[in-house]
Amino acid sequence: MAPPQGSQAPLEFGGPLGAAALLVLLPGTMFHLLLVAGSGPARLLGPPPYLPGLETLWSPRALLLVLAWLGLQAAFYLLPARKVAEGLELKDKSRLRYPINGFQALVLTALLVGLGAAAGLPLGALPEMLLPLAFAATLTAFILSLLLYLKAQLAPASALAPGGSSGNPIYDFFLGRELNPRIGSFDFKYFCELRPGLIGWVLLNLALLLQEAKLRGSPSLAMWLVNGFQLLYVADALWYEEAVLTTMDITHDGFGFMLAFGDLAWVPFTYSLQAQFLLYHPQPLGLPAAGAICLLNAIGYYIFRGANSQKNTFRKNPSDPSVAGLETIPTATGRRLLVSGWWGVVRHPNYLGDLIMALAWSLPCGLSHLLPYFYILYFTALLVHREARDERQCRQKYGRAWQEYCRRVPHRILPYVY
Ligand code: NDP
């Protein structure tokens, strides 16, 4: 059935013009960061050391590696899962089922990489291939989004995302038309959301650590911290994989270039920026400073995990003893909003914890360069924008109850400041 064009959902990201600009800006920024991280001055705002030609970017070997990586992760996705979870109710009242085996995929990948390394797999060669790998991942994301855009032409109207059917092809290609594109039980968005990109990110970090050990005899303390913190973050996301089913990415956004590029290219290649920087710009780090940074990361993680778990437990079972005593506001939908505990401190305590961790990931890189702080700058912008999008949706969903929540918890992310 042909889906309706020109849906009334308000346009986001600056509409078609904004989407067209982001289509170029996002990959452009990623390549800029990759080029600058390996250059001597490593200036975030300076020009790149050179403009790579197609011969530097295009490599059939890199494309094969990216496709093999996606194939491997897809095979792990299809293995029997410890649990199959149901997503939120869809427009047609049905619920999709999702395998909860992302952590299993991480462990299996670690085993395979360990075995491969013992058999002489040259992991340390990956850092030299970052540009062609990133290009291949971008190309893959582009082609995947194009195929998904075409597939959505055949999808029924009930399968479309609220925002991706404006009728403008560039905007819809960017935002994604279909909410949950699937072939059989294989869910493209859910598969891409956490696995190839997040596991790829820690694999790149590990390759950068091994390369540093090869160049300097052993990995630096700063490199260990960055690897350890980010591995904890990825392992946590996969351990609590079920929580992704209630996020905006799964329940609201279509699967288009924004998420495909973000998941497959942006996350592994820009989130590993600190490790890339450290490989080419070693930074001294004493034990007291390392201890203080570990403490900061632990505080951030404590807030992030505490807030996310509290809300997830409450949404799953409000009478669970760990949340039953919390104060709540009733809403017309029958759902309640937490107004004490973490969600009574600010309206997005999980973002606060995430941002504190982001700072702890940059500090091991010292204070001489702005480049390793790109992540926290970008992430602050992303979370402020995400908070505004979520706020708009909650205001629509909960009306006066949301207004009451905002009155009782006036700050969004940072207590007494924002
Ligand atoms: P959140 O987990 O913040 O969820 C927002 C939803 O929670 C709202 O839509 C509402 O949905 C519910 N909610 C809001 N306030 C309350 C309340 N007081 N009581 C009960 N429920 C409430 O969404 P995100 O997907 O933005 O974030 C999830 C995690 O992922 C965060 O920790 C974030 O930092 C992280 N993240 C990381 C990114 C990265 O690149 N590293 C990118 C994006 C996010 P409802 O009422 O329908 O349940």
Side-chain angles (χ1 to χ4, degrees):
M1 193 202 312
Q5 300 286 324
S7 82
Q8 295 306 304
L11 296 179
E12 300 184 279
F13 301 99
L17 260 184
L22 286 170
L23 272 173
V24 178
L25 263 179
L26 290 173
T29 305
M30 180 185 73
F31 285 112
H32 175 76
L33 293 171
L34 284 170
L35 285 165
V36 172
S39 73
R43 275 196 215 103
L44 176 60
L45 300 174
Y50 65 97
L51 281 180
L54 196 59
E55 68 291 348
T56 318
L57 295 171
W58 168 247
S59 147
R61 198 163 140 240
L63 182 62
L64 259 179
L65 270 177
V66 167
L67 294 178
W69 176 250
L70 290 175
L72 178 74
Q73 293 306 323
F76 290 158
Y77 176 96
L78 294 171
L79 286 179
R82 69 181 154 100
K83 182 175 175 191
V84 175
E86 284 198 331
L88 295 185
E89 195 176 88
L90 301 173
K91 269 191 232 158
D92 64 3
K93 305 285 173 212
S94 67
R95 284 174 193 268
L96 293 172
R97 291 162 65 75
Y98 299 88
I100 305 297
N101 56 5
F103 192 78
Q104 179 180 312
L106 176 67
V107 173
L108 288 174
T109 307
L111 281 176
L112 214 64
V113 168
L115 285 175
L121 186 81
L123 262 186
L126 286 182
E128 267 145 44
M129 295 181 66
L130 285 182
L131 274 179
L133 283 172
F135 186 71
T138 305
L139 195 66
T140 307
F142 188 84
I143 293 173
L144 176 65
S145 324
L146 200 61
L147 293 175
L148 291 172
Y149 179 80
L150 296 176
K151 178 180 177 308
Q153 305 298 323
L154 305 173
S158 62
L160 298 184
S165 17
S166 68
N168 180 293
I170 294 183
Y171 182 80
D172 294 347
F173 169 79
F174 179 74
L175 227 70
R177 298 202 71 204
E178 203 176 339
L179 186 60
N180 305 294
R182 286 185 163 208
I183 292 185
S185 63
F186 190 90
D187 189 300
F188 288 94
K189 184 167 63 169
Y190 176 69
F191 165 69
C192 289
E193 185 76 5
L194 294 184
R195 294 146 192 256
L198 285 191
I199 304 177
W201 169 21
V202 291
L203 184 66
L204 286 182
N205 273 352
L206 174 67
L208 290 155
L209 180 146
L210 292 174
Q211 187 65 356
E212 196 192 33
K214 196 168 146 201
L215 286 179
R216 306 202 180 94
S218 64
S220 61
L221 182 54
M223 183 67 99
W224 277 119
L225 290 197
V226 166
N227 263 260
F229 294 161
Q230 297 183 351
L231 175 61
L232 169 73
Y233 190 74
V234 168
D236 176 275
L238 293 167
W239 183 260
Y240 293 100
E241 188 180 22
E242 198 173 337
V244 84
L245 298 180
T246 53
T247 60
M248 196 191 300
D249 295 6
I250 297 289
T251 61
H252 180 268
D253 292 334
F255 193 36
F257 186 78
M258 177 177 79
L259 285 181
F261 172 76
D263 294 340
L264 302 181
W266 181 266
V267 166
F269 295 100
T270 66
Y271 285 24
S272 58
L273 194 65
Q274 284 110 355
Q276 292 175 41
F277 171 81
L278 287 172
L279 175 63
Y280 302 107
H281 309 87
Q283 300 292 317
L285 183 66
L287 277 180
I293 296 172
C294 286
L295 182 67
L296 185 70
N297 193 64
I299 293 172
Y301 181 72
Y302 178 71
I303 300 174
F304 165 85
R305 179 52 28 231
N308 277 322
S309 290
Q310 194 168 68
K311 176 167 67 73
N312 293 339
T313 307
F314 181 72
R315 278 284 172 255
K316 261 200 252 164
N317 176 17
S319 30
D320 186 287
S322 64
V323 292
L326 295 174
E327 213 183 321
T328 59
I329 302 178
T331 76
T333 65
R335 293 178 132 200
R336 304 179 80 85
L337 291 167
L338 287 167
V339 74
S340 69
W342 285 116
W343 297 80
V345 179
V346 280
R347 298 206 294 274
H348 269 289
N350 48 354
Y351 290 3
L352 175 64
D354 224 338
L355 286 169
I356 294 174
M357 283 192 286
L359 180 62
W361 300 353
S362 300
L363 287 172
C365 302
L367 299 170
S368 58
H369 289 76
L370 187 58
L371 184 73
Y373 292 82
F374 170 80
Y375 177 73
I376 184 164
L377 296 175
Y378 138 82
F379 200 43
T380 304
L382 180 139
L383 290 183
V384 165
H385 179 249
R386 199 171 167 94
E387 192 279 333
R389 289 182 82 204
D390 189 54
E391 178 96 5
R392 205 166 43 239
Q393 286 166 27
C394 285
R395 217 179 303 127
Q396 257 175 20
K397 207 167 22 177
Y398 298 126
R400 293 169 74 96
W402 188 258
Q403 279 173 13
E404 170 66 5
Y405 179 48
C406 294
R407 194 189 62 74
R408 302 225 357 220
V409 185
H411 292 101
R412 298 158 194 260
I413 299 178
L414 196 58
Y416 306 110
V417 178
Y418 179 74

